[in-house]
Amino acid sequence: MKKLLTALKRCAALGAAALAIVSLQPVSAAHAADSRVVGGTRATQGEFPFMVRLSMGCGGALYTQQIVLTAAHCVSGSGNNTSITATAGVVDLQSTSGRVQVRSTKVLQAPGYNGNGKDWALIKLAQPINLPTLKIATTTQY
């Protein structure tokens, strides 16, 4: 369990670093932001294949093909939960080409989460999503 928590912390740190790096990239003419993108650029199809959109409005990343890593503040506790839908495979949620939608079965909110720190949660999906997963740090460098 301790190794899993350590791996999840590293994963969360790597994900945060990756998002920070991406958000600091200059806006190019080819990827000019539209009015719905604030301080960033529109992703191209396939650029972040591990990212998912959760039905409650949060984002997440495929930690495995059947587990989504998201923020603890996006869920309301741990246990069986079939109310969340993960949408993957598209950068435009209106597009149906390549879009995959899978319901949740369980949620694990970080033990001890109280609104401060430990802001991670795992969502188990009813079936695997056949897309690449978030690359996990293999050293403590990050």
Side-chain angles (χ1 to χ4, degrees):
M1 182 68 168
K2 186 174 181 179
K3 286 184 179 185
L4 175 61
L5 288 175
T6 300
L8 288 173
K9 287 178 185 177
R10 286 183 186 155
C11 175
L14 179 60
L19 289 175
I21 290 167
V22 169
S23 69
L24 294 174
Q25 297 301 313
V27 176
S28 68
H31 293 200
D34 68 24
S35 62
R36 296 171 295 173
V37 178
V38 179
T41 60
R42 183 179 288 276
T44 59
Q45 185 63 36
E47 188 174 5
F48 303 102
F50 51 84
M51 293 301 298
V52 301
R53 168 68 151 67
L54 300 170
S55 55
M56 80 289 276
C58 288
L62 289 172
Y63 181 69
T64 72
Q65 290 185 332
Q66 201 166 359
I67 302 287
V68 173
L69 172 66
T70 191
H73 69 262
C74 292
V75 300
S76 59
S78 297
N80 293 334
N81 184 329
T82 59
S83 69
I84 302 168
T85 300
T87 301
V90 293
V91 295
D92 179 354
L93 295 173
Q94 304 306 313
S95 174
T96 57
S97 177
R99 180 175 67 186
V100 178
Q101 292 186 301
V102 179
R103 301 287 276 180
S104 61
T105 60
K106 294 182 185 290
V107 172
L108 172 66
Q109 191 178 54
Y113 174 71
N114 63 3
N116 294 310
K118 298 184 181 183
D119 195 7
W120 62 267
L122 300 175
I123 299 171
K124 183 174 183 182
L125 303 175
Q127 59 197 44
I129 295 177
N130 190 21
L131 287 171
T133 58
L134 180 66
K135 295 202 182 326
I136 305 301
T138 56
T139 71
T140 58
Q141 180 180 1
Y142 301 105

